[in-house]
């Protein structure tokens, strides 16, 4: 999957530090890289950085925008990501899976892959906790919504 939206950021947006963090090796061999962006232009910065880092993640780039009222629940994002990864066709119907089962299926679908997951418009850690990959070949880029 190649789900990143187009990079429409102002030319002044410089993602060098974010890209460097995404390209860095994970601190532990079994842990994915986790990068957070808290900036007035977090969304633009994250999207530009994701495009620049995408070659390191040849198995795909997943994208979700969580803003809305009410915010999109993690279970809905996990179902969509599983469909994108062609992992929705598992024993049982993913639409009936509990949130923890969806998170486990997502981690299993990412095992052995190099995938970048970008989550935009995040308001709290609770929104992203189930979306954190466990595989060292993956990275999660989180853009926090500004108040």
């Amino acid at each position: 999957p190649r789900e990143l939206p187009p990079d429409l950021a102002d030319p002044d947006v410089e993602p060098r530090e974010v890209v460097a963090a995404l390209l860095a090796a994970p601190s532990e061999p079994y842990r994915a890289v986790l990068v957070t962006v808290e900036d007035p232009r977090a969304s633009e910065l994250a999207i530009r950085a994701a495009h620049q880092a995408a070659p390191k993640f040849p198995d795909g780039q997943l994208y979700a925008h969580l803003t809305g009222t009410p915010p999109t629940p993690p279970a809905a994002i996990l179902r969509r990501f599983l469909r994108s990864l062609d992992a929705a066709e598992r024993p049982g119907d993913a639409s009936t899976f509990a949130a923890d089962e969806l998170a486990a299926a997502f981690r299993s679908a990412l095992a052995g892959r190099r995938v970048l997951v970008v989550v935009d418009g995040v308001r709290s850690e609770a929104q992203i906790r189930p979306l954190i990959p466990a595989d060292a070949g993956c990275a999660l880029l989180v853009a926090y919504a500004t108040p």
Side-chain angles (χ1 to χ4, degrees):
R2 305 283 186 255
E3 298 182 352
L4 297 176
D7 177 3
L8 303 175
D10 184 298
D12 305 1
V13 174
E14 178 50 57
R16 186 175 319 139
E17 290 177 24
V18 177
V19 172
L22 286 172
L23 298 179
S27 58
E28 298 175 43
Y30 56 85
R31 183 177 294 204
V33 172
L34 174 62
V35 179
T36 60
V37 179
E38 295 184 53
D39 183 273
R41 299 188 293 188
S43 182
E44 294 176 57
L45 186 58
I47 292 168
R48 174 155 295 162
H51 277 283
Q52 290 182 14
K56 180 185 176 184
F57 303 96
D59 295 320
Q61 301 88 44
L62 300 170
Y63 177 84
H65 197 344
L66 301 184
T67 57
T69 306
T72 307
I77 299 300
L78 287 166
R79 282 186 189 92
R80 190 172 66 71
F81 284 172
L82 287 168
R83 284 192 304 272
S84 294
L85 294 166
D86 292 328
E89 302 306 320
R90 305 177 66 85
D93 179 7
S95 66
T96 64
F97 285 3
D100 62 332
E101 292 174 304
L102 289 166
F106 178 62
R107 290 189 301 272
S108 292
L110 293 179
R113 291 183 173 182
R114 299 180 61 82
V115 176
L116 173 60
V117 180
V118 181
V119 186
D120 194 358
V122 175
R123 295 182 185 151
S124 72
E125 184 181 314
Q127 285 183 292
I128 61 160
R129 185 168 294 278
L131 307 175
I132 299 173
D135 198 280
C138 297
L140 175 64
L141 176 55
V142 179
Y144 278 90
T146 54

